[in-house]
Amino acid sequence: MRQDNDLGSATLKYFGSQLKLFRQRAGMTREDLGVQVGYSEAMIAAIEQGRRFPQQELVDRADDVLGAGGLLRAGGPYLVRGRYPTWFRDFAAMEADAVSRCAYDSQVIPGLLQTETYARAVLSCYCPVLDDDRIEERVVARLGRQELLNRRPAPTLSFVIDEAALRRPISGTAVWREQLLRLRTFREMRHVSVQVMPLRRERHGGLNGPLVLLETADRHHVAYVEGQSGSFLVTDREEVSALMQRYGTLRAQALNPEESVSFIDEVLGDS
C-alpha cells in the first residue's frame, strides 16, 4: 500500500510542478489562474503542492489559459490512474470503456451510485483510518468513475443491492436519506437497472460475497472480486462463466426494478 500511495503522489507532484512552471511563465499568480479556470486560489495551491488531484475540466482550462500546447492535458490520463491504488487501476481502466457492467453489493451502496456525502462517509469508515487528503483524493476518484453513467454510447449497467446495504444509515439519517433518494432517480435512466435483494430471501446466489462482471470494449468478459485482504481480476473463462451464471440467478431472485423502487420508498417511509 505504501508503494501505491507513493506512485500516485509522485504523479500528482510532477503535474503540480508543471502547472506551477507554466503559470509562472505566463506571469500569473495563483489567484489569477484560479479566476481564469473557475477554481479558488487555495485549490490551485493544493494542486501545485501535490496535495489534491485536479478535475479534468481544470486541467483542460489551465492548458488553454497558460498556453501549454497540450502538455498539461496530456497528463490527464496519468492523473486519473494515479488516483487509484495499483491493485484497482487495471479494473478502473477496463470499467471506463466497458460495454456492460453487472454487480452485486452487500455492505454499502455501490460506488458508481453513491452521492458525494455518502462516498466521503464510507471512505471515512476505513480501518486503519485514511488521512483527510487521502479521503478527498478517493472521493474525487470515485465520483470521476461515475462518468460511466453518462457515457455515450451508453453501457448496460445492472446493480443488485442487498437490503442490508439500503438500511445501514452510514453517517446518519440525512446522508442516508439523500443516498436512497438518489437511488430512486436511476429509474429514469433506461440503461441502468437497480434491483434489491430482500432480507426475507432465505438464500440466494450471492452468499459468497460481492462481485462485478464486465464486458470489455473488445467483447471479452472479466470479473472483479474484492475481499478484506485484497482484490483480483478473474479472466479464466470457466471461472467467469460460473460467476455470470451466479449473477443471472441473483437477478432472478431479486426484486425487479419496479418492485425495487417501491421497496426503497417503503424503507424511506420507515425512517
Side-chain angles (χ1 to χ4, degrees), residues 24 49 51 105 154 161 165 174 210:
Q24 291 176 335
Q49 293 164 6
R51 295 186 289 108
D105 290 89
I161 308 171

Side-chain angles (χ1 to χ4, degrees), residues 15-254:
F15 178 85
S17 70
Q18 297 305 294
L19 178 65
K20 180 178 180 180
L21 176 62
F22 280 108
R23 175 180 61 78
Q24 291 176 335
R25 284 184 176 180
M28 288 188 181
T29 65
R30 288 170 174 165
E31 181 180 9
D32 294 335
L33 178 58
V35 170
Q36 290 291 319
V37 299
Y39 286 81
S40 68
E41 178 183 359
M43 175 62 76
I44 300 300
I47 294 170
E48 288 187 351
Q49 293 164 6
R51 295 186 289 108
R52 291 292 297 272
F53 278 94
Q55 297 279 14
Q56 186 62 45
E57 176 186 49
L58 187 153
V59 175
D60 292 341
R61 290 180 182 175
D63 192 280
D64 294 336
V65 168
L66 299 176
L71 292 177
L72 291 176
R73 188 177 284 111
Y78 300 98
L79 285 170
V80 170
R81 290 179 64 82
R83 291 172 178 169
Y84 306 115
T86 298
W87 48 264
F88 190 73
R89 288 173 189 161
D90 289 342
F91 171 78
M94 287 190 288
E95 180 187 65
D97 296 324
V99 173
S100 68
R101 183 189 189 278
C102 303
Y104 167 62
D105 290 89
S106 60
Q107 299 301 316
V108 297
I109 305 303
L112 287 180
L113 306 182
Q114 290 177 5
T115 65
E116 180 176 346
T117 50
Y118 185 92
R120 185 172 290 107
V122 170
L123 291 166
S124 296
C125 293
Y126 274 28
C127 182
V129 297
L130 301 172
D131 62 43
D132 290 344
D133 286 346
R134 187 67 60 192
I135 289 172
E136 291 307 310
E137 287 175 10
R138 294 196 180 183
V139 169
V140 170
R142 184 163 298 182
L143 297 181
R145 287 174 54 218
Q146 294 182 5
E147 294 175 5
L148 182 66
L149 295 165
N150 300 307
R151 199 197 70 199
R152 294 294 180 269
T156 299
L157 303 175
S158 170
F159 302 88
V160 176
I161 308 171
D162 199 275
E163 179 185 344
L166 295 180
R167 291 192 178 276
R168 183 169 292 112
I170 294 176
S171 197
T173 301
V175 171
W176 171 76
R177 286 187 62 85
E178 179 190 36
Q179 178 61 68
L180 292 195
L181 288 170
R182 187 182 187 206
L183 277 185
R184 295 172 72 255
T185 67
F186 291 107
R187 63 181 173 180
E188 307 299 331
M189 304 179 76
R190 291 182 291 120
H191 64 293
V192 179
S193 170
V194 176
Q195 296 178 252
V196 175
M197 179 64 73
L199 288 173
R200 66 174 180 267
R201 187 74 65 199
E202 292 183 2
R203 59 182 181 179
H204 60 75
L207 294 179
N208 286 344
L211 63 92
V212 180
L213 298 167
L214 291 181
E215 182 180 3
T216 66
D218 55 0
R219 305 293 175 169
H220 289 124
H221 291 88
V222 300
Y224 176 74
V225 180
E226 282 190 353
Q228 285 281 348
S229 57
S231 63
F232 56 93
L233 282 171
V234 181
T235 58
D236 179 82
R237 288 186 178 183
E238 289 189 12
E239 292 185 37
V240 173
S241 176
L243 291 171
M244 291 175 68
Q245 294 175 49
R246 194 172 299 169
Y247 191 78
T249 301
L250 267 169
R251 291 200 69 181
Q253 293 170 325

Side-chain angles (χ1 to χ4, degrees), residues 159 187 192-196 251 254-264:
F159 302 88
R187 63 181 173 180
V192 179
S193 170
V194 176
Q195 296 178 252
V196 175
R251 291 200 69 181
L255 302 177
N256 68 38
E258 292 75 23
E259 293 169 337
S260 296
V261 171
S262 297
F263 188 88
I264 293 170

